[in-house]
């Protein structure tokens, strides 16, 4: 589903150049659940942003479903994002002025989906993350775990083939974190490809594969037990 | 999708009530100012537009050049009209209206009704062909062909006849009988304040006199045939005038006739002489239009500033929306839409406020403007246009900024990299500078205009215009026995002195020639003639410069003495006032049966210059002499205290002499007050709208300061914990804004100086722009800005620092 070749990102601020990503080569197949780990500042978020077309690389190639997308225009990227990629962030990033329902509805609105189909889809997803009873609340009125579940709902409501999650459990206590992890695993079982940045070895163990990074480079990839299980299942 | 945008917009509006209020209030006020000024300007532009085929009508005036200057003289000789009519087939209809004294009133009598009516015209019978006013009764055809017929306005008809058809009724005007032939509808947008019209034939002017090229007493209009090139005709006519004026006898005038399009008469004649039409002033119209735009720009800038400042609070939303897949276009549309919503609310408020304030503006400007959105689709369209223009103007930039946020950077929390310390928000600062430049500019203009107008009202005119009652003599008895009339008036202990003559300050004066002998040659000089009596000097409080005033004790003073003013001493080349004494002069007597009979005499005194005209004009050279034949006006100087007593006495004496005429009078100082009416109004309007501009600008500043204080809450908290005092924090926050105001002042000052110098040039007597005005404007703008900002700064500085830090 995703291949990168010598993907590079350099941040230039006045005098300092930070090479956040240095010639990264990796491949993620459709249906995989991949964890990205590494110390703070090693370029995990940068990588995710590039994969999600939120930022453009300085060099290298990025192929998404067979198409080279590294030099896509702003408009093309927006279009691809809205159809194919869902995001989940550590800090939830819900719009405070919109209710839960309205937040989750937003991607469908940008897709141009009309009611009642839209409404049906939203309720279905909210059901899945078990937040239906709070759908007319505003984000500030929810707990962190609830907010993150809404964020997951929003990421999957348009059924994107790929979900990128940047420390989705980073701001949650372990029980809330586990709930979110269960949600992601369930989505993956239903076929969604997921790339997740995490600091938690525990969470990482629940994925198929761990990519470890250091100083802007991928240093190794290890299969997890669940990978073995997944292979067995397949 | 729009529903979603609207929801967000609406909730943001409520959530940030302060910002919304400042935005809406500022914009609504700006729009209101703009609408009111716009209505005024629109109204000024409407004059004479209602007249069918008015584009073919031209007024013929005359550029008359003397050694000193070129004057636009609205009154032209009778031969102008005649020549155009006879020599140029391009002219379809020619119309001449004879100029009558300013404010001239006629006594109108019908049954037991007696009233003075203004606005009587004596004109060629072609009046209604050139100016096809709407007739309510009768018909314009041949309405004026008979010299004893009169056509009256609907208002006149209402006053005299009530609500009935008066056609066929006879009325008396100034003791002559006229037959009413028609009633026309008054139109406030007609440049001639006409109330009734009679045929010029009634004056029975000698045919010889109507052949004059020198008697400049006629307003002349021409309606051209379709497709005529007015410029070409003007050129041909100028050549014809040069050819026809007999080089032997023509007066020392250099004529240059001009065909002025009817649609320019109202606004482009402000400096014309002898123009009695309803005049506006294109300079003032333009100035007010510019101010309207200024205020709107200031309001829009507020909007841009506040919106961009506030945009940080929207950054996360932008990031999220982009991540989900919103395109830049969609985001721009959303934020533009929000601005449009705010603008829409502002427009609604502005429309309401305008309706509320319009009656006051109408009263003040003596106009009848209307503002009814629901009955006028044009106005609705205009408001819609305004909404779009302002909405897009104010919303485009913030929308662009917001839509361009990079999702990666904004979602990381805060916009540290794009808005760190040390980074100057250039655009925001430039806009503040511009706003305050406009404000300082307006303040300076308002003060200078105020000073000049006060100067006009308070300048020593060289005579005392206070407590002088002033009226026109009425009835034969008064004219014939003017000496007794005067004696009777003086019997009251409340009356100090009385002067009868022609040529009082602020009233009509006559210009004519005078002969003096220069280097053995008899030369003619044109000069203002003031026909006076022995008490003129006492009544007006003039002062002598040299020689003596006219006196009964010198029998020759009546028929052989002249007094001249200082300017005349210079103009006639006498050198000094002392040298002027004894100079010989000769004056062709008015109305003499023999054409060449003159009054010969010598200069016995020089009077100090006094302003018998407005301060727009330099004092003209003038000659003062006794000539009872021209007696026309009476000036009564009252003795302090008992004004009512004096007035009652005048009334009683009047009724003894001319009971057939109702008493009518006014006060001389009022004559001077009305001269500067337009300037008075400009002064007031400038103050009001300058105030509005400053207020709207400050609203914006207030919002920005609030925002800056909010943004620096944490910094302020840390500073306080480290021991900073409140005052130092207020300074910290205010300094930045004060610097901007100073820059603005530096930009505005030369511009204001230039504009005001230009404006002052219209006045023959004017103030020097005082330097303190500039200082005062800067200080005023600075103080207002400081108060605005420091309020917010103080609030931020006095908050509990611990609270601020914890919130982070
Ligand atoms: N906008 C930016 N400007 C400059 N440097 C940045 C920016 N974003 C990230 N970096 C730098 O790039 C490197 C990688 O950052 P990031 O991908 O956020 O790391 P991680 O998510 O692994 O903690 C870090 O050294 C960081 O300081
Ligand atoms: Mg990170």
């Amino acid at each position: 589903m995703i291949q990168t070749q010598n993907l590079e990102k350099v941040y230039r601020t006045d005098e300092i150049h930070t090479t956040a990503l240095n010639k990264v080569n990796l491949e993620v197949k459709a249906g995989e659940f991949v964890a990205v780990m590494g110390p703070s500042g090693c370029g995990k978020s940068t990588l995710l942003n590039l994969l999600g077309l939120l930022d453009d690389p300085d060099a290298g190639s990025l192929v998404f479903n067979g198409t080279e997308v590294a030099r896509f225009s702003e408009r093309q990227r927006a279009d691809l994002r809205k159809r194919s990629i869902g995001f989940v962030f550590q800090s939830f990033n819900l719009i405070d002025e919109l209710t839960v329902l309205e937040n989750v509805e937003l991607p469908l609105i940008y897709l141009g989906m009309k009611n009642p189909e839209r409404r049906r889809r939203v309720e279905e997803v909210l059901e899945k993350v078990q937040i239906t009873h709070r759908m007319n609340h505003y984000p500030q009125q929810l707990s962190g775990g609830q907010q993150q579940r809404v964020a997951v709902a929003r990421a999957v409501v348009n059924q994107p083939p790929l979900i990128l999650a940047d420390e989705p459990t980073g701001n949650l206590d372990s029980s809330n974190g586990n709930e979110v992890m269960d949600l992601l695993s369930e989505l993956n079982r239903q076929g969604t490809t997921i790339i997740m940045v995490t600091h938690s070895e525990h969470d990482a163990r629940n994925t198929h594969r761990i990519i470890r990074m250091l100083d802007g480079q991928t240093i190794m990839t290890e299969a997890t037990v669940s990978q073995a299980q997944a292979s067995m299942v397949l | 999708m729009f529903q979603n945008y609207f929801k967000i917009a609406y909730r943001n509006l409520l959530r940030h009530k302060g910002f919304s209020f400042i935005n809406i209030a500022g914009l609504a006020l700006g729009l209101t100012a703009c609408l009111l000024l716009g209505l005024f300007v629109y109204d000024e532009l409407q004059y004479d537009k209602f007249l069918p085929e008015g584009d073919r009508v031209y007024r013929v005036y005359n550029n008359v050049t003397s050694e000193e200057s070129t004057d636009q003289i609205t009154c032209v000789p009778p031969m102008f009209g005649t020549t155009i009519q006879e020599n140029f087939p391009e002219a379809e209809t020619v119309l001449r209206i004879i100029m009558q004294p300013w404010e001239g009133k006629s006594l109108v009598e019908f049954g037991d009704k007696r009233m003075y009516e203004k606005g009587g015209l004596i004109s060629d019978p072609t009046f209604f062909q050139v100016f096809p006013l709407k007739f309510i009764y009768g018909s314009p055809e041949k309405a004026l062909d008979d010299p004893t017929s009169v056509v009256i306005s609907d208002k006149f008809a209402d006053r005299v006849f009530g609500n009935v058809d008066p056609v066929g009724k006879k009325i008396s005007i100034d003791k002559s009988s006229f037959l009413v032939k028609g009633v026309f509808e008054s139109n406030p947008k007609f440049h001639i304040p006409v109330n009734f019209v009679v045929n010029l034939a009634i004056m029975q002017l000698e045919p010889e006199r109507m052949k004059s090229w020198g008697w400049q007493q006629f307003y002349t209009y021409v309606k051209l045939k379709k497709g005529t090139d007015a410029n070409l005709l003007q050129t041909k006519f100028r050549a014809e005038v040069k050819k026809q004026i007999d080089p032997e006898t023509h007066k020392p005038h250099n004529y240059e006739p001009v065909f002025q399009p009817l649609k320019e008469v109202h606004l482009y004649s402000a400096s014309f002489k002898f123009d009695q039409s309803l005049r506006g002033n294109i300079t003032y119209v333009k100035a007010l239009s510019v101010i309207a735009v200024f205020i709107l720009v200031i309001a829009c800038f507020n909007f841009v500033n506040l919106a961009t400042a506030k945009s940080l609070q929207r950054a996360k939303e932008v990031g999220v929306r982009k991540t989900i897949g919103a395109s830049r276009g969609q985001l721009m549309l959303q934020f533009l839409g929000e601005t449009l919503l705010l603008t829409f609310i502002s427009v609604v408020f502005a429309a309401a406020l305008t309706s509320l304030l319009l009656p006051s503006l109408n009263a003040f400007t003596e106009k009848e403007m209307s503002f009814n959105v629901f009955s006028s689709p044009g106005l609705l369209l205009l408001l819609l246009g305004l909404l779009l223009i302002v909405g897009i103007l104010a919303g485009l930039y913030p929308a662009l900024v917001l839509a361009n946020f990079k999702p990666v950077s904004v979602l990381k929390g805060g916009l540290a990299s794009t808005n760190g310390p040390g980074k100057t928000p250039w655009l925001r600062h430039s806009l503040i500078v511009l706003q305050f430049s406009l404000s300082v500019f307006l303040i300076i203009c308002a003060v200078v205009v105020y000073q000049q107008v006060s100067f006009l009202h308070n300048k020593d005119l060289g005579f005392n215009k206070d407590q002088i009652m002033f009226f026109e003599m009425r009835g034969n008895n008064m004219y014939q026995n003017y000496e007794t009339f005067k004696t009777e008036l003086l019997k009251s202990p409340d009356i100090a002195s009385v002067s009868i003559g022609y040529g009082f300050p602020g009233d009509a004066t006559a210009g004519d020639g005078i002969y003096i002998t220069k280097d053995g040659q008899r030369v003619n000089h044109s000069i203002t003639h003031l026909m006076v009596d022995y008490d003129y000097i006492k009544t007006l409080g003039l002062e002598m410069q040299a020689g003596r005033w006219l006196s009964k004790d010198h029998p020759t003073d009546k028929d052989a003495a002249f007094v001249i003013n200082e300017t005349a001493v210079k103009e006639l080349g006498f050198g000094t006032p002392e040298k002027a004494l004894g100079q010989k002069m000769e004056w062709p007597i008015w109305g003499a049966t023999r054409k060449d009979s003159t009054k010969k005499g010598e200069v016995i005194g020089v009077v100090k210059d006094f302003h018998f005209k407005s301060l727009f004009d330099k004092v003209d050279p003038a000659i003062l002499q006794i000539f009872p034949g021209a007696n026309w006006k009476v000036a009564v100087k009252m003795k302090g205290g008992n004004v009512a007593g004096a007035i009652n006495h005048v009334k009683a004496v009047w009724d003894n002499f001319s009971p057939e005429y109702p008493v009518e009078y006014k006060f001389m100082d009022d004559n001077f007050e009305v001269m500067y009416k337009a300037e008075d109004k400009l002064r007031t309007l400038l103050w009001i709208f300058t105030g509005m501009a400053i207020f709207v600008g400050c609203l914006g500043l207030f919002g920005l300061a609030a925002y800056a204080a909010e943004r620096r809450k944490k910094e302020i908290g840390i500073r306080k914990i480290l021991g900073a005092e409140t005052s130092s924090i207020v300074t910290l926050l205010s300094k930045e804004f004060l610097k901007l105001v100073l820059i603005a002042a530096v930009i505005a000052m030369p511009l204001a100086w230039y504009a005001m110098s230009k404006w002052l040039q219209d006045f023959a007597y004017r103030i020097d722009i005082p330097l303190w005005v500039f200082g005062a404007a800067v200080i005023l703008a600075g103080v207002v800005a400081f108060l605005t900002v420091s309020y917010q700064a103080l609030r931020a500085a006095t908050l509990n620092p611990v609270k601020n830090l914890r919130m982070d």
Side-chain angles (χ1 to χ4, degrees):
Chain A
M1 170 167 254
I2 288 177
Q3 287 108 24
T4 71
Q5 233 167 28
N6 294 333
L7 203 58
E8 261 187 61
K9 179 75 191 175
V10 182
Y11 289 111
R12 295 180 180 82
T13 45
D14 299 331
E15 271 125 53
I16 315 153
H17 287 202
T18 315
T19 307
L21 279 189
N22 190 4
K23 301 209 167 73
V24 169
N25 296 297
L26 71 92
E27 178 170 2
V28 176
K29 293 212 169 60
E32 272 195 292
F33 190 170
V34 179
V36 179
M37 297 192 77
S40 194
C42 71
K44 306 181 295 291
S45 296
T46 306
L47 176 65
L48 224 57
N49 290 338
L50 290 186
L51 298 183
L53 303 184
L54 287 175
D55 212 347
D56 37 334
D58 292 298
S61 114
L62 172 60
V63 175
F64 188 91
N65 272 343
T67 316
E68 172 63 57
V69 296
R71 309 278 171 271
F72 260 26
S73 72
E74 164 95 30
R75 177 183 289 268
Q76 286 172 307
R77 282 197 259 147
D79 202 55
L80 187 71
R81 278 203 299 271
K82 103 178 138 187
R83 289 179 201 291
S84 311
I85 308 172
F87 293 86
V88 181
F89 300 93
Q90 177 179 10
S91 53
F92 323 138
N93 280 331
L94 299 171
I95 297 178
D96 297 334
E97 286 82 8
L98 295 181
T99 62
V100 166
L101 183 126
E102 287 158 356
N103 263 290
V104 175
E105 194 178 31
L106 210 49
L108 300 181
I109 291 176
Y110 282 118
L111 273 176
M113 187 182 287
K114 300 267 173 297
N115 272 329
E117 164 75 358
R118 188 171 77 207
R119 181 67 185 237
R120 195 186 57 72
R121 281 275 284 277
V122 171
E123 279 175 8
E124 200 179 282
V125 172
L126 289 177
E127 193 85 41
K128 213 187 268 176
V129 301
Q130 295 169 10
I131 206 89
T132 319
H133 57 298
R134 292 294 177 95
M135 70 182 184
N136 289 320
H137 287 212
Y138 286 91
Q140 304 288 323
Q141 299 167 320
L142 303 181
S143 75
Q146 288 170 325
Q147 287 191 46
Q148 194 61 303
R149 270 155 41 205
V150 175
V152 172
R154 189 180 62 188
V156 303
V157 70
N158 56 342
Q159 299 168 334
L162 174 66
I163 285 182
L164 300 174
D166 195 344
E167 301 185 36
T169 56
N171 272 357
L172 304 177
D173 60 38
S174 60
S175 79
N176 272 317
N178 286 339
E179 267 180 44
V180 170
M181 275 312 293
D182 290 348
L183 262 175
L184 291 176
S185 300
E186 173 62 25
L187 282 167
N188 177 248
R189 265 194 293 283
Q190 287 163 13
T192 311
T193 312
I194 299 177
I195 305 175
M196 174 183 76
V197 172
T198 181
H199 281 296
S200 147
E201 289 287 342
H202 171 262
D203 288 350
R205 292 290 145 206
N206 286 320
T207 67
H208 304 165
R209 176 157 75 102
I210 301 174
I211 298 176
R212 294 207 184 264
M213 291 184 70
L214 191 65
D215 286 345
Q217 290 178 306
T218 48
I219 48 171
M220 65 186 226
T221 301
E222 60 187 271
T224 60
V225 180
S226 48
Q227 166 70 35
Q229 288 168 348
S231 322
M232 271 161 50
V233 171
L234 285 173
Chain B
M1 177 119 64
F2 286 103
Q3 204 187 349
N4 180 272
Y5 292 168
F6 183 80
K7 245 182 278 176
I8 283 261
Y10 174 73
R11 285 179 197 159
N12 258 304
L13 201 82
L14 289 187
R15 221 168 95 128
H16 307 284
K17 286 199 190 69
F19 271 107
S20 309
F21 172 78
I22 288 176
N23 267 333
I24 292 174
L27 212 50
L29 266 178
L31 283 166
T32 305
C34 206
L35 280 173
L36 288 173
L37 288 172
L39 284 171
F40 176 84
V41 168
Y42 176 79
D43 189 83
E44 279 291 295
L45 295 173
Q46 292 317 302
Y47 277 81
D48 300 316
K49 293 249 168 83
F50 72 97
L51 287 165
E53 302 184 331
D55 52 328
R56 287 200 270 139
V57 176
Y58 292 79
R59 181 167 78 171
V60 183
Y61 71 84
N62 209 354
N63 279 331
V64 178
T65 308
S66 64
E67 304 95 72
E68 286 218 324
S69 59
T70 299
D71 287 325
Q72 291 105 335
I73 309 287
T74 321
C75 294
V76 300
M79 276 308 279
F80 270 30
T82 312
T83 308
I84 294 171
Q85 180 84 286
E86 287 173 357
N87 295 38
F88 298 99
E90 301 90 311
E92 189 176 289
T93 319
V94 173
L95 164 67
R96 292 169 306 185
I97 304 168
I98 195 163
M99 180 187 70
Q100 298 174 79
W102 292 98
E103 300 266 310
K105 287 182 181 174
S106 307
L107 180 66
V108 172
E109 289 163 289
F110 176 73
D112 54 359
K113 282 195 177 133
R114 294 200 308 170
M115 56 189 82
Y116 287 106
E117 286 285 340
K118 284 201 280 192
L121 300 185
I122 306 177
S123 110
D124 279 334
T126 49
F127 188 86
F128 294 104
Q129 280 159 260
V130 176
F131 300 122
L133 299 175
K134 201 171 137 203
F135 268 58
I136 296 172
Y137 298 115
S139 97
E141 280 84 43
K142 306 202 168 161
L144 286 174
D145 283 5
D146 189 330
T148 58
S149 59
V150 61
V151 178
I152 62 180
S153 76
D154 47 359
K155 291 187 176 147
F156 180 113
D158 218 42
R159 282 191 290 269
V160 178
F161 301 103
N163 198 11
V164 292
D165 179 356
V167 172
K169 297 207 160 113
K170 286 202 163 183
I171 51 169
S172 149
I173 300 176
D174 284 336
K175 305 292 176 192
S176 310
S177 175
F178 288 87
L179 181 68
V180 177
K181 281 279 192 74
V183 177
F184 61 86
E185 190 179 76
S186 307
N187 193 314
K189 291 285 163 301
F190 188 31
H191 75 281
I192 305 176
V194 55
N195 200 13
F196 62 93
V197 191
V198 300
N199 191 328
L200 186 58
I202 191 74
M203 292 190 77
Q204 298 181 326
L205 295 164
E206 288 168 35
E208 204 48 40
R209 214 165 165 214
M210 292 304 282
K211 291 204 180 118
S212 167
W213 284 97
W215 183 36
Q216 300 172 48
Q217 186 100 24
F218 291 88
Y219 301 112
T220 301
Y221 296 85
V222 192
K223 182 170 187 179
L224 302 178
K225 288 197 178 128
K226 264 202 187 90
T228 305
D229 180 346
N231 276 324
L232 190 68
L233 180 60
Q234 177 178 297
T235 313
K236 288 199 282 183
F237 181 58
R238 282 180 186 177
E240 184 66 25
V241 169
K242 280 231 158 52
K243 204 172 89 193
Q244 289 224 18
I245 296 183
D246 185 347
E248 296 289 324
T249 57
H250 85 268
K251 296 201 161 194
H253 291 311
N254 192 0
Y255 286 171
E256 191 187 50
V258 182
F259 282 64
Q260 181 185 33
L262 178 64
K263 63 171 187 293
E264 289 182 8
V265 169
H266 173 67
L267 281 179
Y268 292 84
S269 312
S271 59
F272 286 21
K273 308 271 188 254
F274 307 112
D275 193 347
Q276 297 174 340
S277 51
L278 297 175
R279 281 184 289 174
N281 187 331
I282 189 67
T283 310
Y284 296 168
V285 167
K286 280 185 186 159
L288 291 176
S289 312
V290 168
I291 292 174
V293 173
F294 275 10
I295 295 180
L296 198 62
V297 164
I298 290 178
C300 283
F301 282 5
N302 270 354
F303 207 100
V304 173
N305 267 339
L306 289 174
T308 47
K310 206 180 69 160
S311 63
L312 296 186
Q313 297 174 346
R314 304 292 297 274
K316 182 175 130 193
E317 181 191 335
V318 173
V320 171
R321 283 180 186 269
K322 278 200 163 181
T323 308
I324 291 171
S327 69
R328 207 164 54 182
Q330 284 170 321
L331 285 169
M332 288 213 40
L333 204 70
Q334 177 189 345
F335 291 117
L336 259 182
E338 283 190 21
T339 312
L340 281 173
L341 176 72
L342 275 178
T343 314
F344 174 76
I345 298 173
S346 309
V347 167
V348 171
F349 275 115
L353 209 56
T354 303
S355 310
L356 210 68
L357 294 177
L358 192 64
S360 316
L361 185 69
N362 269 336
F364 177 69
T365 55
E366 293 167 30
K367 284 180 177 294
E368 297 164 25
M369 301 178 278
S370 71
F371 181 81
N372 191 338
V373 188
F374 303 106
S375 69
S376 133
L379 200 59
L380 209 60
L381 221 62
L382 178 95
L383 284 181
L384 204 70
L386 209 57
L387 165 72
L388 284 178
I389 290 172
V390 171
I392 289 172
L393 213 69
L396 197 61
Y397 179 76
L400 212 68
V401 169
L402 277 165
N404 274 335
F405 277 152
K406 279 219 177 308
V408 183
S409 28
V410 294
L411 287 184
K412 246 165 105 181
L415 271 181
S417 56
T418 56
N419 211 47
K423 277 224 170 186
T424 316
W426 280 110
L427 179 96
R428 224 177 294 149
H429 281 186
S430 314
L431 294 189
I432 296 179
V433 166
L434 257 171
Q435 285 184 318
F436 269 83
S437 301
L438 297 182
S439 295
V440 171
F441 178 88
L442 287 177
I443 294 174
I444 294 174
C445 294
V447 175
V448 171
V449 168
Y450 181 86
Q451 293 269 318
Q452 170 68 14
V453 174
S454 309
F455 171 80
L456 293 177
H457 285 292
N458 300 326
K459 182 175 175 1
D460 179 13
L461 298 173
F463 72 96
N464 188 350
K465 62 180 159 37
D466 299 331
Q467 298 213 313
I468 295 179
M469 220 177 131
F470 190 61
F471 56 87
E472 183 180 337
M473 290 203 284
R474 301 274 182 180
N476 285 337
N477 193 20
M478 218 184 270
Y479 271 100
Q480 274 153 21
N481 305 307
Y482 69 94
E483 303 256 24
T484 358
F485 182 60
K486 191 166 162 179
T487 317
E488 288 296 317
L489 287 176
L490 283 168
K491 280 187 179 154
S492 160
D494 301 316
I495 289 176
S497 83
V498 175
S499 175
I500 299 181
Y502 169 28
F504 287 95
D507 198 49
T509 55
D512 198 359
I514 187 95
Y515 289 100
I516 58 170
T517 313
K518 215 175 192 175
D519 309 326
Q521 288 227 311
R522 190 167 174 262
V523 288
N524 188 310
H525 257 281
S526 109
I527 198 163
T528 299
H529 287 257
L530 305 176
M531 303 311 185
V532 302
D533 61 7
Y534 301 110
D535 299 320
Y536 189 82
I537 188 169
K538 191 167 127 204
T539 310
L540 296 178
L542 306 182
E543 283 177 48
M544 296 303 291
Q545 180 74 25
R548 58 176 182 82
W549 178 247
L550 304 152
S551 161
K552 271 198 179 110
D553 305 336
H554 295 259
T556 51
D557 278 5
K558 198 163 150 264
D559 297 312
F562 299 104
V563 172
I564 59 178
N565 67 357
E566 291 170 287
T567 305
V569 171
K570 280 185 224 119
E571 291 252 331
L572 299 177
F574 294 148
T576 65
E578 285 70 29
K579 282 188 193 149
L581 300 178
Q583 295 278 355
K584 300 268 183 290
M585 284 185 165
E586 225 181 293
W587 171 61
I589 299 168
W590 289 348
T593 36
R594 279 179 45 118
K595 264 201 147 170
D596 53 352
S597 69
T598 59
K599 168 173 168 179
K600 299 183 183 65
E602 58 182 48
V603 176
I604 59 156
V606 174
V607 70
K608 276 192 177 163
D609 273 348
F610 62 106
H611 294 274
F612 50 85
K613 288 199 195 166
S614 82
L615 295 173
F616 286 102
D617 301 303
K618 284 232 178 298
V619 173
D620 282 334
I623 184 164
L624 298 83
Q625 59 174 310
I626 300 211
F627 182 66
N631 277 354
W632 180 31
K633 298 284 171 87
V634 183
V636 177
K637 175 82 178 178
M638 293 171 289
K639 231 187 253 169
N642 192 1
V643 176
I647 293 173
N648 281 333
H649 182 72
V650 170
K651 280 181 178 162
V653 177
W654 174 306
D655 281 340
N656 262 336
F657 276 73
S658 297
E660 74 277 23
Y661 282 90
V663 180
E664 210 227 355
Y665 63 88
K666 58 186 175 185
F667 293 95
M668 192 175 272
D669 47 3
D670 292 342
N671 269 10
F672 280 82
E673 293 301 311
V674 297
M675 285 177 186
Y676 313 119
K677 219 165 148 186
E679 280 67 30
D680 287 344
K681 292 200 167 145
L682 179 73
R683 168 174 69 176
T684 311
L685 285 179
L686 253 181
W687 277 110
I688 293 173
F689 288 106
T690 301
M692 271 175 117
I694 294 173
F695 183 73
V696 172
C698 280
L699 265 183
L701 202 57
F702 188 76
L704 276 185
Y707 166 77
E710 174 79 28
R711 196 168 44 108
R712 294 171 79 167
K713 251 185 194 165
K714 186 172 164 193
E715 175 194 343
I716 293 167
I718 295 171
R719 280 177 190 272
K720 283 191 78 171
I721 287 170
L722 294 178
E725 291 182 22
T726 305
S727 64
S728 80
I729 286 170
V730 170
T731 317
L732 176 81
L733 286 172
S734 313
K735 214 169 54 191
E736 187 178 323
F737 289 106
L738 281 178
K739 213 166 58 196
L740 299 178
V741 172
L742 278 180
I743 297 173
V746 170
I747 295 173
M749 280 193 239
L751 296 175
W753 181 82
Y754 177 77
M756 283 297 99
S757 304
K758 276 279 227 207
W759 177 70
L760 285 171
Q761 271 167 19
D762 284 349
F763 300 88
Y765 298 90
R766 54 186 178 244
I767 55 167
D768 292 325
I769 299 177
L771 283 179
W772 65 259
V773 170
F774 296 100
V778 179
I779 291 172
L780 181 63
V783 165
V784 171
F786 179 77
L787 289 179
T788 310
V789 174
S790 63
Y791 170 76
Q792 293 290 359
L794 204 64
R795 237 176 51 152
T798 49
L799 273 181
N800 181 350
V802 180
K803 242 178 171 174
N804 287 340
L805 289 180
R806 234 193 248 137
M807 272 171 58
D808 218 56

